[in-house]
Amino acid sequence: MNKRMIAAIAGTALAAGVLGPGAPSALAGDATGTTSTVGTTGTTGTTGTTGRVTAETVAARPPKGARAVVRVSPNPTARRGQKVRITGHCGGGRGLGAVLSGFGDRPVLENVRIVDADPKGFVAEATLSRTIGNGVGPVFVDCGGEAGVTLLVTHV
């Protein structure tokens, strides 16, 4: 995974409100019934007649280089050493090339094994690190030209 791909993933995460300030209040709305639009993700929040905020996702396409979709199950995880399954699609990429997790010398996942690298529906398996604690860790996929990221929540 090169610097350009990591920058695309980080930019997508920032735009989606996963990282950075304002993430928890992305769909805040207000009691006057106004609509707020958040970043480039296409997520909007509107208040209804009850004053509750509703969310609808508009089919906005992520930027080139960050179109892979990745899911981890089970998510959240509950045990160190627990097996997890990584699935998704490459969004136009050539096929699953790598699954990375965590940052630096603190991996979230260990023993990552790609079961099926099909760009239309990849599958990988891994185990949760034995040194992981409670929190959130990123899981990145490299699909040969497209990348994706999701967050894995741990309650151990």
Side-chain angles (χ1 to χ4, degrees):
M1 192 176 276
N2 59 27
K3 288 182 183 181
R4 183 174 167 236
M5 199 169 284
I6 291 172
I9 291 170
T12 302
L14 284 170
V18 173
L19 303 171
S25 61
L27 295 176
D30 64 14
T32 61
T34 60
T35 302
S36 61
T37 303
V38 180
T40 59
T41 62
T43 303
T44 60
T46 58
T47 54
T49 57
T50 62
R52 295 184 63 204
V53 175
T54 59
E56 53 186 69
T57 303
V58 180
R61 195 156 160 95
K64 180 82 173 132
R67 294 184 179 160
V69 173
V70 59
R71 290 174 295 283
V72 178
S73 62
N75 193 4
T77 57
R79 294 184 330 266
R80 292 178 178 99
Q82 180 177 2
K83 289 189 179 200
V84 295
R85 190 172 188 92
I86 300 106
T87 58
H89 65 81
C90 288
R94 293 182 294 276
L96 182 61
V99 177
L100 306 168
S101 65
F103 289 107
D105 61 343
R106 304 188 98 172
V108 174
L109 300 176
E110 296 174 338
N111 305 319
V112 177
R113 183 174 67 93
I114 297 174
V115 175
D116 185 5
D118 183 12
K120 294 183 180 180
F122 61 76
V123 178
E125 294 176 342
T127 55
L128 189 62
S129 173
R130 297 240 179 238
T131 60
I132 200 74
N134 292 329
V136 177
V139 177
F140 301 98
V141 294
D142 178 3
C143 281
E146 299 291 339
V149 63
T150 192
L151 295 175
L152 176 62
V153 179
T154 57
H155 297 292
V156 293

